[in-house]
């Protein structure tokens, strides 16, 4: 499913369903007036109701009417048109559905639907009266009975910072499934909390959580866009206390990471940016601010494999739920494809069932949005091999929704559509977990191979959906400019000590963390030799490294020196590596010894003899073959990705600091032993194939 | 949110809200307090908390003004700005005040997001002056303001107030869309445009980038 749209199948299935489930017996049809909508059904869900009906031949669109009624079904208010259904709202246009929201959950309403031919209104359907679903959770069951300030205030108020802390602390206290951890603090010292949710209990350490293929939702980066955050808080309660087998099954197969408020200062002041005025969603690569740095360290430590980033949208013409994958061209193709599958394969299909209009961000009258800035979390995560999407909650008004401004009803429409999306996100991860992990593993290996051009800015195209596209136009093409393409990718960037450790002024109050600290937050391998600091490109975040360290980077940290391979082609005889040696597309016939203080970086290289390093600065190998043993001792930087090793492999007494040695996606035709390394090596969730025994620190790799 | 036709946008609001307004008038169980003191008027009122909803006008009448403002959904920008600017807390304790409170849509139509964040985080003096252009000493009903014809805001500007159909027009650019909220020592009138002297920076497109 991953590389192809399941569209044709989905449409075919839905057509079949329509044909087989449509009752429309002849006598019922004759009872209906000409062009009257028939078979109106209403299905209740959390905060919205899905209307479905038998389409009318020749209808241009449909109007959805809602009337408040009392318990006896007697109207208590005037009928109001609360929505328009038109064909570009969904991919299977033969089975119209409309998610009506924007009411107080639990209230009772009557709905009717009528077709319009052009502007000519046709007869209304028979009315359907139904009571909507009350806010989730039995009011008499501890835990379930918790409510957010937003729910208690009937959406007249958003949940405040202190109410959020109290609410999440209560969930933590009452549910074994939930642990609240503090990721960091905002500029104004508000906690940035994350709910870690698993079943029956969440794994205890970040590394253990990472092993569960977690999903992450960033709920509120722009302080004046709080709709997703309220959905996150409600979903946290559902995940914590629901006894629905679907929920416990979901939580048995992943860990859900929810960051309700990364931008607590902006939320408190209702500003887009943080308290310094910095738009945090233009900072996830640069991580100048403590808020973004906290999130990026979380990604490094917890390693989510899929993500959503919540926003609200000012474009009233767009669909209900604009979404967009990581488009930056340095994002590995499998991650782009997986993200597109999540959006177009899953969300478009499920949206057509629930009645929500998911569409590409930038669709209607797109404007110059949804582009390739790596500073935007959507792209940053993609460059970190996380399948993910942006989520926008549309503004009020437009072609298919009433214009209610920032009132309680429109807030509910936003929040409950976000809640639907986040639940669908969890369902997608559950259903496609193996595909997600495969695309992630492939992407890590593709990136570590360091092949192909680098693009500093520029997007992959989002082609119009053939259904047709559920929007009137695709997002802007945003192809890379010629001067933002580097065809000849370097092997590494070399930084001076001043560049690496020097004081910076680009943070709050004119004080920035060092490049060294930011690279550590991203989790990159760095090799220190006696002439500088080297950041090799043959590692999992290859596509992001040049954007921050190359002189051509549009929003870079520093001007690193490009270092090109020094060893290519065939070389016979023993090789003793001194200084910084980069091999690419090389064949080395003979043993390789990395001298103390020296470094070997290699890609697409075959080495016949043993490779040994003792007290070396670094050994970073990818997409290569070692036809002999590999032995690395007392060395500082180690990354071995997608390498075939014929002999035994051993890592002993290495001092890699806080950045663990990477052993990912390798084939080792012998034993693998890791002993007495300062930090246990990791495989980033990309398993190695080891023919011999795995022992000690590598027993689980 | 600055559509080519702001006027049409507002007409749409009014049209959509009118039927809803009937809900409150035909409600068989009106809220406990129906004194004229808590009667709010204007096309936006029905979309705000009504009847016994949390944050209804009767409830707000007993609240301190800063708390009352937090309950009115369409005032999130104004409420935060008032807090950040300190314009309200600068007033001597117990000062009666009338607040001309622009809606969130009004702010979005006036300031680009970058400009607004810049004002909120770096230019507190300008922000305070802007907020003072929306404060009047004394508690004045919208009818009082119309009768007087002009009023002086705390930034030293004289604002004209005229009757336009069922509502009032201020400074020839803002309409009262829900007037006569009461709070302790205060009146709050929600208006649909920003007053004061700062230039419009909102773009002509209603896109804003994620
Ligand atoms: Zn946003």
């Amino acid at each position: 499913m991953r590389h192809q749209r399941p569209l044709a199948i989905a449409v075919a299935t839905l057509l079949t369903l329509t044909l087989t489930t449509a009752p429309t017996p002849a006598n019922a049809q004759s009872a209906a007036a000409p062009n009257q909508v028939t078979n109106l059904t209403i299905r209740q869900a959390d905060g919205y109701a899905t209307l479905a009906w038998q389409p009318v031949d020749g209808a241009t669109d449909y109007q959805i009417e809602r009337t408040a009624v009392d318990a006896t079904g007697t109207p208590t208010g005037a009928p109001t048109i609360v929505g328009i259904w038109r064909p570009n709202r969904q991919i299977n246009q033969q089975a119209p559905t409309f998610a009506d929201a924007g009411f107080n959950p639990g209230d009772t309403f009557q709905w009717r639907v009528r077709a319009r031919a052009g502007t000519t209104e046709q007869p209304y359907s028979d009315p359907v009266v139904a009571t909507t679903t009350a806010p989730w959770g039995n009011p008499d069951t501890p835990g379930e009975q918790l409510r957010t300030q937003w729910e208690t205030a009937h959406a007249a108020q958003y949940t405040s910072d202190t109410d959020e802390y109290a609410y999440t602390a209560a969930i933590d206290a009452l549910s074994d499934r939930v642990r609240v951890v503090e990721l960091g603090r905002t500029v104004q010292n508000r906690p940035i909390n994350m709910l870690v949710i698993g079943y029956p209990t969440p794994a205890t350490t970040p590394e253990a959580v990472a092993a569960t293929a977690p999903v992450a939702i960033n709920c509120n980066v722009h302080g004046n866009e709080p709709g997703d955050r309220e959905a996150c808080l409600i979903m946290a309660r559902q995940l914590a206390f629901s006894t629905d087998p679907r929920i416990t099954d979901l939580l048995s197969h992943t860990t859900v990471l929810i960051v309700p408020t990364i931008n607590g200062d902006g939320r408190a002041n209702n500003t887009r940016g943080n308290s310094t005025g910095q738009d945090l969603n233009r900072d996830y690569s640069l991580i100048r601010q403590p808020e973004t740095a906290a999130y990026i360290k979380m990604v490094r430590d917890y390693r989510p494999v899929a993500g959503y980033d919540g926003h609200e949208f000012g474009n009233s013409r767009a669909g209900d739920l604009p979404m967009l994958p990581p488009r930056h061209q340095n994002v590995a193709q499998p991650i782009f494809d997986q993200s597109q599958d999540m959006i177009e394969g899953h969300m478009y299909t499920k949206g057509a069932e629930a009645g929500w209009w998911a569409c590409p961000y930038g669709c209607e009258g797109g404007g110059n949005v949804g582009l390739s800035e790596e500073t935007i979390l959507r792209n940053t995560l993609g460059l970190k091999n996380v399948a993910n999407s942006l989520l926008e909650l549309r503004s009020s008004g437009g072609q298919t929704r009433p214009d209610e401004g920032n009132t309680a009803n429109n807030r509910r429409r936003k929040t409950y559509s976000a809640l639907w999306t986040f639940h669908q996100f969890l369902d997608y991860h559950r259903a496609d977990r193996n595909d997600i992990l495969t695309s992630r593993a492939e992407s890590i290996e593709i990136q570590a191979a360091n092949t192909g051009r680098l693009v500093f800015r520029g997007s992959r195209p989002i082609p119009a959906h053939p259904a047709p596209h559920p929007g009137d136009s695709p997002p802007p093409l945003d192809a890379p400019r010629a001067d933002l393409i580097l065809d000849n990718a370097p092997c590494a960037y070399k930084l001076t000590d001043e560049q690496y450790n020097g004081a910076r002024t680009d943070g709050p109050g004119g004080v920035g963390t060092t490049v060294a600290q930011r690279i550590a937050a991203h989790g990159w391998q760095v090799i220190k030799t006696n002439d500088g600091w080297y950041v090799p490109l043959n590692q999992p975040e290859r596509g992001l490294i040049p954007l921050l360290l190359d002189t051509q980077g549009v929003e870079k940290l520093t001007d690193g020196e490009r270092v090109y391979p020094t060893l290519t082609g065939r070389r016979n005889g023993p090789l003793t590596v001194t200084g910084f040696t980069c091999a690419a597309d090389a064949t080395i016939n003979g043993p390789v010894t990395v001298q103390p203080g020296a470094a070997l970086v290699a890609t697409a290289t075959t080495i016949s003899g043993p490779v040994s390093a003792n007290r070396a600065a670094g050994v970073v190998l990818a997409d290569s073959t070692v036809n002999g043993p590999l032995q690395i001792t007392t060395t500082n930087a180690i990354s071995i990705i997608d390498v075939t090793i014929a002999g035994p492999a051993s890592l002993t007494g290495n001092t890699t600091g806080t950045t663990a040695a990477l052993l990912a996606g390798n084939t080792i035709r012998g034993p693998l032993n890791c002993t007495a390394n300062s930090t246990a090596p990791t495989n980033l969730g990309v398993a190695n194939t080891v023919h011999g025994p795995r022992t000690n620190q590598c027993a689980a790799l | 949110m600055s559509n080519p036709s702001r006027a049409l946008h507002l007409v749409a609001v009014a049209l959509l809200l009118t039927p809803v307004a009937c809900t409150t008038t035909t409600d068989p169980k009106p809220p406990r307090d129906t004194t004229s003191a808590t009667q709010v008027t204007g096309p936006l009122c029905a979309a705000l908390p009504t009847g016994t909803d949390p944050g209804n006008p009767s409830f707000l009448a007993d609240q301190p003004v800063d708390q009352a403002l937090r309950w009115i959904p369409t005032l999130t920008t104004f409420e935060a700005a008032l807090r950040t600017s300190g314009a309200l807390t600068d007033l001597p304790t117990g000062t009666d005040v009338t607040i001309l409170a622009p809606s969130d849509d009004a702010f979005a139509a006036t300031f680009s997001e970058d400009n607004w964040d810049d004002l909120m985080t770096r230019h507190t003096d300008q922000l305070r002056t802007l907020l003072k252009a929306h404060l009047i000493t004394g508690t004045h009903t919208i009818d009082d303001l119309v009768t007087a014809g002009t009023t002086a805001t705390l930034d030293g500007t004289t604002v004209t107030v005229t009757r336009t159909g069922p509502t009032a027009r201020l400074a020839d650019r803002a309409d009262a869309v829900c007037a006569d909220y009461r709070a302790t020592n205060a009146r709050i009138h929600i208006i649909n445009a920003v007053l004061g002297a700062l230039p419009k920076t909102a773009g002509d497109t209603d896109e804003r980038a994620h």
Side-chain angles (χ1 to χ4, degrees), chain A residues 20 50 109 163 181 240 277 310 317 338 343 365 575 631 650 673:
Chain A
T20 52
T50 299
F109 299 97
D163 194 79
V181 298
R317 298 183 307 271
Q338 190 73 51
I343 296 167
L575 172 67
Q631 183 176 28
S650 74
N673 178 46

Side-chain angles (χ1 to χ4, degrees), chain A residues 88-419:
Chain A
N88 72 338
R89 281 185 57 92
Q90 65 188 65
I91 54 173
N92 59 323
Q93 295 153 8
Q94 303 82 0
T97 59
F98 189 89
D100 184 28
F103 49 76
N104 183 43
D107 287 358
T108 301
F109 299 97
Q110 170 195 289
W111 282 274
R112 298 192 301 174
V113 174
R114 70 179 169 196
R116 291 192 298 189
T119 55
T120 309
E121 291 151 357
Q122 307 298 321
Y124 268 118
S125 68
D126 290 339
V128 175
V129 172
T131 298
T132 59
T133 304
W136 187 89
N138 187 327
D140 300 320
T141 304
E144 285 191 24
Q145 101 290 358
L146 294 168
R147 295 291 182 268
T148 62
Q149 182 179 353
W150 183 84
E151 291 175 288
T152 307
H154 288 200
Q157 293 185 325
Y158 288 109
T159 302
S160 70
D161 48 1
T162 51
D163 194 79
E164 174 199 314
Y165 311 144
Y167 173 84
T168 54
I171 291 178
D172 184 337
L174 291 167
S175 172
D176 290 342
R177 302 176 193 172
V178 178
R179 179 170 70 251
V180 177
V181 298
E182 185 179 306
L183 299 179
R185 292 268 170 158
T186 65
V187 172
Q188 294 180 336
N189 206 34
R190 284 186 171 85
I192 301 166
N193 288 337
M194 179 168 78
L195 296 109
V196 183
I197 310 177
Y199 182 83
T201 61
T204 51
T205 64
E207 184 65 30
V209 170
T212 68
V215 297
I217 302 175
N218 192 33
C219 309
N220 187 203
V221 64
H222 290 144
N224 58 347
E225 301 173 4
D228 310 81
R229 171 173 173 265
E230 299 297 343
C232 281
L233 294 173
I234 293 169
M235 189 169 81
R237 179 172 88 239
Q238 296 172 322
L239 297 179
F241 303 107
S242 175
T243 54
D244 181 345
R246 170 182 157 265
I247 297 290
T248 48
D249 175 66
L250 285 174
L251 294 177
S252 301
H253 290 87
T254 189
T255 307
V256 180
L257 307 173
I258 298 175
V259 180
T261 321
I262 185 179
N263 184 13
D265 301 343
R267 175 78 285 272
N269 265 359
N270 202 53
T271 54
R272 176 180 173 91
N274 71 355
S275 64
T276 73
Q278 174 63 47
D279 182 343
L280 296 179
N281 205 27
R282 297 294 181 275
D283 195 52
Y284 282 104
S285 55
L286 294 163
I287 48 177
R288 294 161 292 192
Q289 303 293 322
E291 296 92 348
T292 43
Y295 202 86
I296 289 304
K297 287 177 193 167
M298 183 284 283
V299 172
R300 176 195 66 192
D301 295 342
Y302 288 84
R303 299 202 300 265
V305 301
Y308 253 90
D309 186 37
H311 294 261
E312 296 187 22
F313 197 24
N315 182 349
S316 62
R317 298 183 307 271
D320 295 329
L321 295 164
M323 302 182 186
L324 203 69
R327 297 180 65 195
H328 194 292
Q329 286 198 358
N330 286 1
V331 173
Q333 186 78 43
I335 285 295
F336 175 81
D337 291 343
Q338 190 73 51
S339 305
Q340 274 289 77
D341 181 60
M342 177 167 76
I343 296 167
E344 299 196 355
H346 186 86
M347 294 295 179
Y348 286 13
T349 305
K350 296 298 179 181
E353 293 171 13
W356 292 114
W357 179 12
C359 74
Y361 180 62
C363 53
E364 301 261 339
N368 212 26
V369 299
L371 308 183
S372 64
E373 299 99 313
E374 71 281 1
T375 53
I376 293 174
L377 183 62
R378 166 175 62 85
N379 286 317
T380 319
L381 285 181
L383 292 162
K384 289 175 174 288
N385 307 301
V386 180
N388 82 103
S389 175
L390 160 79
L391 176 66
E392 297 278 351
L393 312 178
R394 69 188 306 287
S395 74
S396 186
Q399 287 141 327
T400 78
R401 298 283 185 182
D403 189 346
E404 295 174 311
N406 190 16
T407 62
N409 277 341
N410 202 53
R411 291 177 179 188
R412 289 165 171 140
R413 198 172 282 117
K414 289 179 177 178
T415 287
Y416 290 117
S417 63
L419 184 60

